[in-house]
Amino acid sequence: MSGETHLYLSLNELRALMRRTYEALYHHGYDFAVMARSCLWLEAHGLDGIGLIIRSLPDLETPAREIKLSEPTPNHFLLEGYGRCLIPFINASTDLAIAGAQESGFGQIDILNVFGRLNVFAALKKTARLNLYSAAIWYDATEARTHILWLQSSQNLPDYFILNEVHQGPWGKSGLRFLCSTEAEVVKENVRRVLPENTSPHKTAMELEKAYAHALENGISVSKNTYAQLNKIADRLLVPSTDASRRGAGE
Amino acid sequence: MVMLAPHIADDALDYRPASVVMDINRLGTLYPYPLSFMRSLVRRILREKWDIQRTHLSLCDEGYGEVIYSVKTPNGIFSYVIFSKYLDPNIRSDRVIAEDWDMTVTLCEGEVDSGRLDVLRANVPLQEKGRVDSSCFVLSRANKSARNFNYVVDSLSSGQQPDLDVMAKVGYLYRTTAVYGSGKFGMAVWDKVKSKYPDFASPFAAEMFSCFLIRDFSLFQADYVAKKRAPDTAVEMAPPIKRYVGIGNATGLGMAPYLINHPLLINNWIEVRETALARVKRSGPISDDKRGDFLCLAEKAMQHLDEISTDNADQNALNLKAKTDMAALVKWFQGAQVSAWSELTEHAELHFSVEAQELLNVLLLELYPDLFTDLEESLSLEEVYSLEASMSVRDLKRLVETHYDWALGIDYTDPKTQGIFWYRSEEKMEPRLGQRFEEPGAANEMLLGIGWYVCESYRDLCEYIEKQGDELTTARFVFENPQHRYIVRRMQTMAKTRYGEIRINAIDLDVLPIHLLRCKLSFFGVGKFDPRSRMWVRNTMFQGAPLISDIGQTVEDTWCFPIRPEVNG
């Protein structure tokens, strides 16, 4: 059992909590079930999904999100995120690239001016299930580091690389490129433009898988403060109990 | 279109159509059948001869204290830990929002030493307010049926067996009021249970096992207390009466969202059941023996219906109608010389109530379990609702029109069709129903009115096609309409299944959630439905089932439709 400052949540508990949190934030305006699963997957694979949410909360709490979509080519989409958190629209955005890959063998999105880019992780998992190959590349200007998630084979998890180098590319200082293809070589060619040969991953697919197995077995340690913070948001969904509402439970 | 799991689909079989099978009014009449989870579990326990012993007993004369059952299966050792206490009758409640119970329990992996027992003692009795670790995989509680329990103890302590008339009225000593699994309160999640504990790797097996042991403890406790009260005169309850004692259950609205939120799983359960029925109708030979078995079973089922005690007038009428129809059906069968069971089912479909039709189906399933027990392994599946991003909006529109015609047919301009909203109460997040146009809270509505979301997305899809043409992808549509991503991927997924969604408008003013409850409970194996309102139902589990003391004996799997036992003396 955990100490006083932390508690262990099962994967289901975390997913349920995140579903309610996103539902409380956006009602049914976004696909809250997938958003919750994305957070769960990050956390369960040892990639601090909860921390990402907590750091993003000031933005997530701010409604009125706008995204501008343009389409330079039929399978290349350009999105302007206006400095907002990627979480609410990452899944619908990567759908565009996935559709491109399924239709013509290759699809790509470049999202500009966003943060919380590690949330793209779930999209790579999805492409694996669809027998696609994929990668996500972004440059973090505050750390001056380049991040690459690369799904290299039929394995169901990507390798995660972090380079201490500047690779701004067309996605700029705070953007993200996500690409996927039916051909492994096509993705590899794109990734190799940024990632030198023989670079060791920051986390290998196997390490991510081990982290997940550990979380599945033992649950996820979450600070009680964080747990309370998320529950405070999720609890906005709860409706006060009255005599009338008790009748609504069958009394 | 590619069909999804459950991989058992046999297109040579004559499946009933989804429009018939998934109608909520029909699903609300289902009876348990041989692949119901508690039936499967009991078969497994008996087949594998699980070793179940009470290894730790610390009870006062009134039966309060702690008991640990050691459970040795072919694949592991588990402990079932029970905390039993005195409960003030004035606070005894079956509601989820209750705070205290007569009995609280957990099922966990491995043996329980004193240190672990201390941790469980500090948490299990608190239920939702406690935490357990991931070696536990069921947390549950139960309340005494005080009048029945006291009556049984009084009878046994005075040297008498309890009167079967009394036992027939309330067929249990305890009622479970919640059975939690799947990762609640820190417990192991289903994926872990499935991979690590193969003995409990079928749906709800662990939860059903917990109820099975609550039943055992309730019987043990009654004997124990009677013996302590009157050591010289007390007798133990006779085994046939014990078998007739089940475990009560109270199920409310909390179970309903599960069915709507897991359509792939429910489709799978239904498809397995329908596959079994189709196999029986195709391959079940009608011999003289089977004719006789059918008539005996029908007689037993009618007696069972006769013995159900409920104050609910509607349920009584349904039971009576099912019994009357079955009697007429039997009479027709005896004179008709049918050569295939499908002749009988077709006759029932033409002339008798839905209740009777489904009762007949179960009787046929009970006659030929060997034709479908191989399907047991197909009852669980991984639920993945994936967006088909590249599908054109033209195809998406056609898909909705084809597979969700039942939803598009609902007139949501009529306020009655959206008169209800489902929400979570601040009291333990209990799901409740509110009147949309009269009560506050609709802004926090749960996403359960699937038909309404289908219609909303379809309307926007049509407008989108009108403006953009019908060549663009689903990905484009949901990008520009992110509020529809969930329902679109759900529709795309369910369209690949044989049976699809349960056809219910869950937000209709007159919705009967109790149909959802009965549907799910029938898959659990529950019988004797006693509706207390349209939102919750009492029922009985494991009535007629073998006892732990029967393990190792030859026991037939014939405890469906339990009836009063014949007891000499």
Side-chain angles (χ1 to χ4, degrees):
Chain A
M1 301 289 278
S2 59
E4 282 186 3
T5 58
H6 285 68
L7 79 165
Y8 273 88
L9 296 183
S10 76
L11 302 191
N12 278 10
E13 280 179 294
L14 178 59
R15 178 160 54 184
L17 173 60
M18 293 317 304
R19 280 178 73 126
R20 286 186 286 112
T21 300
Y22 286 131
E23 207 178 341
L25 285 170
Y26 304 116
H27 192 48
H28 304 144
Y30 294 99
D31 190 344
F32 60 86
V34 162
M35 290 163 70
R37 193 179 59 195
S38 300
C39 171
L40 172 74
W41 278 350
L42 276 179
E43 187 65 34
H45 288 99
L47 295 174
D48 192 24
I50 297 175
L52 204 56
I53 300 292
I54 296 295
R55 290 192 295 278
S56 305
L57 273 178
D59 179 82
L60 295 174
E61 291 264 30
T62 309
R65 199 166 300 275
E66 191 186 345
I67 314 160
K68 186 179 163 197
L69 170 71
S70 53
E71 190 176 356
T73 70
N75 56 358
H76 179 198
F77 299 87
L78 199 58
L79 291 86
E80 170 58 55
Y82 299 106
R84 304 297 300 270
C85 177
L86 191 60
I87 291 173
F89 60 92
I90 182 60
N91 292 297
S93 303
T94 51
D95 288 339
L96 297 167
I98 289 170
Q102 289 177 322
E103 281 192 316
S104 63
F106 180 75
Q108 178 175 306
I109 54 168
D110 288 320
I111 311 178
L112 310 179
N113 295 318
V114 288
F115 68 93
R117 288 163 287 180
L118 195 50
N119 273 290
V120 74
F121 178 74
L124 282 94
K125 274 200 76 164
K126 178 178 176 181
T127 58
R129 204 172 58 240
L130 298 171
N131 293 318
L132 297 172
Y133 302 87
S134 59
I137 306 167
W138 68 97
Y139 171 66
D140 189 328
T142 56
E143 302 173 329
R145 298 201 297 182
T146 302
H147 298 247
I148 301 160
L149 283 165
W150 183 11
L151 185 75
Q152 297 192 54
S153 71
S154 58
Q155 65 196 4
N156 68 356
L157 287 173
D159 292 307
Y160 183 18
F161 298 87
I162 298 180
L163 306 177
N164 292 314
E165 296 170 25
V166 177
H167 284 287
Q168 290 190 18
W171 51 88
K173 290 181 179 177
S174 55
L176 164 82
R177 167 166 288 180
F178 173 78
L179 52 101
C180 61
S181 173
T182 50
E183 303 291 332
E185 276 304 311
V186 172
V187 175
K188 183 178 178 181
E189 191 182 313
N190 278 272
V191 171
R192 282 292 172 224
R193 288 178 196 149
V194 177
L195 181 69
E197 293 269 7
N198 302 320
T199 306
S200 298
H202 167 63
K203 283 180 190 281
T204 64
M206 192 173 288
E207 286 168 332
L208 295 173
E209 198 174 315
K210 275 187 185 170
Y212 185 85
H214 184 267
L216 182 67
E217 173 73 27
N218 302 295
I220 291 169
S221 175
V222 179
S223 93
K224 287 186 175 174
N225 284 340
T226 300
Y227 184 62
Q229 198 176 352
L230 292 172
N231 267 305
K232 194 173 171 186
I233 297 170
D235 286 352
R236 293 177 200 162
L237 281 176
L238 304 181
V239 174
S241 191
T242 63
D243 286 344
S245 81
R246 287 190 193 99
R247 283 195 295 276
E251 260 190 347
Chain B
M1 184 173 287
V2 179
M3 295 291 281
L4 278 181
H7 358 283
I8 42 93
D10 178 351
D11 287 329
L13 291 172
D14 187 14
Y15 282 93
R16 296 196 290 176
S19 58
V20 170
V21 174
M22 301 308 278
D23 182 283
I24 187 60
N25 295 311
R26 182 174 293 271
L27 292 174
T29 68
L30 293 188
Y31 291 87
Y33 81 121
L35 296 189
S36 293
F37 307 144
M38 61 183 71
R39 294 280 296 280
S40 294
L41 173 74
V42 168
R43 278 197 303 274
R44 179 174 200 140
I45 290 171
L46 294 173
R47 184 175 66 241
E48 296 177 349
K49 296 184 173 58
W50 290 14
D51 181 9
I52 304 171
Q53 308 283 342
R54 284 180 286 272
T55 51
H56 171 86
L57 202 64
S58 174
L59 297 177
C60 72
D61 287 357
E62 288 302 311
Y64 306 130
E66 298 167 357
V67 175
I68 301 178
Y69 284 75
S70 163
V71 181
K72 291 179 184 162
T73 69
N75 299 295
I77 296 176
F78 304 91
S79 295
Y80 190 69
V81 185
I82 294 176
F83 300 95
S84 161
K85 60 178 282 193
Y86 169 77
L87 183 67
D88 181 346
N90 295 318
I91 63 167
R92 184 177 288 124
S93 167
D94 288 353
R95 294 281 304 281
V96 164
I97 57 176
E99 301 275 344
D100 215 349
W101 305 271
D102 289 289
M103 182 200 304
T104 53
V105 300
T106 188
L107 175 63
C108 53
E109 179 191 9
E111 291 171 350
V112 173
D113 60 20
S114 61
R116 199 172 169 200
L117 185 58
D118 288 344
V119 174
L120 295 176
R121 188 185 296 121
N123 287 280
V124 172
L126 300 178
Q127 296 283 289
E128 293 94 339
K129 289 183 177 173
R131 299 291 300 176
V132 291
D133 65 25
S134 64
S135 69
C136 295
F137 51 110
V138 177
L139 184 74
S140 180
R141 71 283 191 116
N143 281 336
K144 269 180 185 154
S145 170
R147 199 172 45 176
N148 218 30
F149 187 87
N150 292 335
Y151 165 74
V152 167
V153 169
D154 287 346
S155 300
L156 296 175
S157 59
S158 63
Q160 302 293 316
Q161 291 297 326
D163 188 308
L164 284 171
D165 284 339
V166 178
M167 300 309 290
K169 196 161 175 56
V170 182
Y172 49 81
L173 305 179
Y174 271 80
R175 273 193 303 273
T176 61
T177 65
V179 186
Y180 294 115
S182 271
K184 295 269 175 63
F185 319 116
M187 287 189 286
V189 295
W190 167 242
D191 282 348
K192 177 181 175 182
V193 172
K194 194 171 53 174
S195 60
K196 200 169 174 193
Y197 312 135
D199 305 296
F200 299 103
S202 49
F204 294 95
E207 289 88 343
M208 295 300 102
F209 184 64
S210 175
C211 297
F212 185 61
L213 288 192
I214 289 176
R215 174 203 190 215
D216 183 81
F217 177 73
S218 72
L219 295 166
F220 168 79
Q221 192 187 36
D223 278 342
Y224 178 92
V225 175
K227 186 76 178 168
K228 290 291 180 187
R229 275 194 200 164
D232 297 333
T233 57
V235 292
E236 285 196 0
M237 194 188 295
I241 302 180
K242 281 185 174 174
R243 290 188 196 96
Y244 188 53
V245 175
I247 178 76
N249 172 259
T251 293
L253 284 182
M255 188 176 270
Y258 184 92
L259 274 89
I260 297 177
N261 288 331
H262 296 272
L264 263 183
L265 185 64
I266 302 308
N267 164 78
N268 191 47
W269 292 355
I270 299 281
E271 185 167 350
V272 166
R273 188 184 170 111
E274 289 298 314
T275 301
L277 182 61
R279 282 188 188 177
V280 167
K281 286 202 277 188
R282 181 187 64 181
S283 308
I286 304 190
S287 61
D288 285 347
D289 282 352
K290 285 296 178 189
R291 280 175 192 278
D293 290 348
F294 171 73
L295 292 172
C296 286
L297 196 52
E299 197 61 40
K300 187 183 179 196
M302 287 188 281
Q303 185 181 339
H304 169 83
L305 289 171
D306 224 14
E307 291 177 2
I308 293 177
S309 172
T310 169
D311 297 330
N312 186 289
D314 290 343
Q315 189 62 51
N316 272 326
L318 286 171
N319 291 343
L320 182 62
K321 178 71 174 151
K323 187 190 152 200
T324 310
D325 282 356
M326 183 51 62
L329 193 57
V330 164
K331 194 173 175 188
W332 181 86
F333 173 73
Q334 287 172 313
Q337 290 301 310
V338 299
S339 57
W341 291 114
S342 55
E343 293 174 41
L344 187 59
T345 56
E346 283 162 17
H347 183 76
E349 283 159 18
L350 284 173
H351 299 286
F352 296 111
S353 61
V354 171
E355 281 270 348
Q357 292 168 31
E358 293 307 323
L359 180 57
L360 170 63
N361 290 337
V362 168
L363 298 183
L364 298 183
L365 288 165
E366 292 288 350
L367 288 181
Y368 301 97
D370 292 346
L371 288 179
F372 55 84
T373 43
D374 62 298
L375 300 175
E376 221 165 39
E377 305 302 318
S378 302
L379 283 162
S380 64
L381 85 168
E382 187 186 1
E383 288 188 275
V384 178
Y385 301 88
S386 190
L387 188 87
E388 283 193 47
S390 62
M391 179 183 282
S392 73
V393 287
R394 176 187 58 248
D395 289 346
L396 178 62
K397 179 170 177 282
R398 195 178 301 140
L399 178 149
V400 180
E401 289 164 350
T402 305
H403 296 275
Y404 284 83
D405 53 336
W406 61 270
L408 297 179
I410 300 170
D411 176 12
Y412 283 108
T413 60
D414 177 355
K416 179 183 164 298
T417 58
Q418 48 176 312
I420 287 290
F421 68 97
W422 295 65
Y423 64 91
R424 304 170 184 90
S425 159
E426 66 180 4
E427 284 186 294
K428 285 194 179 181
M429 289 196 275
E430 183 181 54
R432 292 179 181 173
L433 300 186
Q435 306 255 347
R436 185 181 305 278
F437 304 111
E438 293 171 21
E439 295 176 48
N444 289 342
E445 176 169 19
M446 295 165 77
L447 201 164
L448 296 175
I450 298 305
W452 188 84
Y453 290 96
V454 168
C455 290
E456 288 288 295
S457 65
Y458 180 75
R459 183 199 61 207
D460 290 348
L461 179 63
C462 291
E463 282 177 16
Y464 188 81
I465 290 172
E466 184 96 15
K467 286 182 191 159
Q468 308 281 349
D470 62 3
E471 296 293 327
L472 290 174
T473 61
T474 293
R476 283 297 287 268
F477 173 66
V478 298
F479 181 84
E480 290 171 38
N481 297 273
Q483 74 278 19
H484 297 319
R485 191 177 187 276
Y486 168 81
I487 196 69
V488 167
R489 68 185 168 85
R490 177 174 174 137
M491 291 190 294
Q492 288 179 322
T493 303
M494 295 313 296
K496 293 181 204 165
T497 64
R498 182 176 298 279
Y499 285 109
E501 303 264 0
I502 293 177
R503 299 180 179 205
I504 181 173
N505 178 16
I507 58 172
D508 191 277
L509 192 62
D510 297 327
V511 67
L512 291 174
I514 200 162
H515 285 336
L516 290 168
L517 308 185
R518 176 157 170 178
C519 171
K520 189 176 177 197
L521 289 167
S522 75
F523 280 99
F524 283 9
V526 168
K528 291 205 167 171
F529 298 97
D530 177 13
R532 312 301 289 183
S533 77
R534 67 170 174 154
M535 299 176 216
W536 73 284
V537 60
R538 280 186 177 158
N539 50 78
T540 312
M541 312 167 79
F542 290 108
Q543 192 174 27
L547 305 167
I548 284 175
S549 56
D550 292 324
I551 299 172
Q553 314 294 317
T554 303
V555 181
E556 297 294 326
D557 179 24
T558 54
W559 53 279
C560 57
F561 299 110
I563 53 176
R564 282 173 54 149
E566 299 290 333
V567 180
N568 294 328

